[in-house]
Amino acid sequence: MSLRPVLETRSSTPTLEGAGVKLHRAFGFQDPSELDPFLLFDDFRNEHPQDYQAGFPWHPHRGIETITYVLAGTVDHSDSLGNSGTLGAGDVQWMTAGSGILHQEMPEGNPAGQMHGFQLWGNLPSAQKMTAPRYQDVQSKDIPEVIDDDGTTVRVIVGEFWGKTGPVDGIAADPQYLDIQIPPGVKKTLRIDTYRRAFAYVFEGQAAFADASQPTGILLEKEVAGQEVNIRDMSGNRTLVRFGTGDEITVQAGPEGVRFLLISGAPIAEPVAWHGPIVMNTRSELEQAFRELRNGTFIQPAH
């Protein structure tokens, strides 16, 4: 077994998206090879309805897949193909935009006004850029959850883990998407396929990842994977941890425990031409997509 080194830890950045939704972006619109096949990751978490209710009105996508995971509140969605529905707490939607889709996503808070969810963008390989669009809406009750003897809990959204397989399938990047909760003070080693790019996103509590140059701070010194690591307090959570190659990670939960997403996927390793919500392989393909948006031929006829 080989421990994956931590290449980088960084805090997500406040930004505005859609019609003025306040969110935090962990990565996106920078170097698309950094976490290939993933392009962007947003954490939309708000306590005040005025910060999110304007939502994400009608907008296009082509050449990518968007993965929306809701933790609190709801998201109403509808699209140019006539689909509509509501994602509730714990639900997931995996949308394959393929050849092109227009859709809108409108968040609504829970009774306390809280809204929390994540959106991840996955790239599509050139052979699937113009595939027919599709949705996979998965209810929380259909997502398997496994609990280890030490109290570690894992929701398996996509991929296989600890003998359970997530309900979302047929995804180009062959990803693994896990929601992991580790109790206070527990040290855990988790397997990841060697050939996948991988990152963790800490969103509750604190933890230290082995071999981290800037661990995502617990407040005392701990030994992780046989090494003394310098643990320091970090401001808040919303921390991205980007891993190098290897087949496992080791994480030490802090005094309040930790909850994080662990996401990995097979790199596509193709050229990326990207502008806004459209991601193609060449500049000419990108220009064609925007021409079609202007002249009304963006939505491809069903075959």
Side-chain angles (χ1 to χ4, degrees), residues 70-107:
V70 177
L71 293 185
T74 61
V75 176
D76 293 330
H77 66 89
S78 53
D79 67 39
S80 52
L81 303 179
N83 300 306
S84 63
T86 299
L87 298 175
D91 295 350
V92 173
Q93 180 192 86
W94 201 294
M95 185 198 75
T96 304
S99 60
I101 200 165
L102 298 170
H103 77 157
Q104 66 173 353
E105 300 153 303
M106 306 303 289

Side-chain angles (χ1 to χ4, degrees), residues 11-246:
S11 297
S12 56
T13 304
T15 190
L16 288 176
E17 197 54 85
V21 176
K22 293 183 179 179
L23 51 80
H24 282 70
R25 178 158 292 155
F27 63 89
F29 298 106
Q30 293 168 329
D31 179 2
S33 67
E34 183 181 75
L35 282 164
D36 179 18
F38 305 114
L39 298 164
L40 174 147
F41 182 87
D42 284 343
D43 177 351
F44 48 98
R45 181 188 335 183
N46 287 295
E47 306 290 324
H48 308 293
Q50 65 269 25
D51 291 339
Y52 59 77
Q53 279 187 330
F56 308 91
W58 291 98
H59 59 280
H61 285 294
R62 176 179 285 182
I64 65 170
E65 302 184 279
T66 66
I67 304 93
T68 306
Y69 180 29
V70 177
L71 293 185
T74 61
V75 176
D76 293 330
H77 66 89
S78 53
D79 67 39
S80 52
L81 303 179
N83 300 306
S84 63
T86 299
L87 298 175
D91 295 350
V92 173
Q93 180 192 86
W94 201 294
M95 185 198 75
T96 304
S99 60
I101 200 165
L102 298 170
H103 77 157
Q104 66 173 353
E105 300 153 303
M106 306 303 289
E108 185 66 42
N110 62 18
Q114 298 164 327
M115 176 70 218
H116 190 193
F118 306 104
Q119 187 165 91
L120 174 69
W121 289 14
N123 200 7
L124 283 169
S126 56
Q128 297 183 36
K129 288 285 189 192
M130 297 298 287
T131 192
R134 70 166 182 154
Y135 280 91
Q136 295 184 68
D137 281 349
V138 178
Q139 292 186 328
S140 179
K141 65 180 179 62
D142 297 322
I143 297 174
E145 186 172 281
V146 286
I147 304 176
D148 206 2
D149 293 341
D150 59 14
T152 297
T153 302
V154 180
R155 299 191 85 212
V156 186
I157 295 167
V158 187
E160 186 176 353
F161 191 76
W162 287 353
K164 298 288 186 179
T165 301
V168 179
D169 62 8
I171 304 303
D174 187 28
Q176 187 180 56
Y177 191 130
L178 308 173
D179 178 353
I180 299 173
Q181 193 158 9
I182 301 177
V186 170
K187 183 169 72 174
K188 202 73 182 170
T189 296
L190 305 166
R191 294 291 308 277
I192 304 176
D193 185 276
T194 306
Y195 300 101
R196 297 170 183 267
R197 293 270 172 81
F199 70 91
Y201 184 76
V202 178
F203 63 95
E204 285 181 14
Q206 296 172 314
F209 291 82
D211 201 29
S213 58
Q214 293 183 324
T216 53
I218 61 175
L219 308 180
L220 45 151
E221 291 288 330
K222 290 287 184 181
E223 185 181 75
V224 180
Q227 306 172 41
E228 284 295 326
V229 294
N230 180 31
I231 307 301
R232 63 184 179 86
D233 187 16
M234 293 190 71
S235 54
N237 44 43
R238 293 191 175 105
T239 302
L240 175 76
V241 184
R242 189 164 61 91
F243 299 105
T245 57

Side-chain angles (χ1 to χ4, degrees), residues 254-278:
E256 297 179 357
V258 66
R259 188 174 179 187
F260 62 98
L261 303 179
L262 182 60
I263 298 174
S264 61
I268 294 173
E270 292 181 351
V272 172
W274 182 3
H275 185 77
I278 297 174

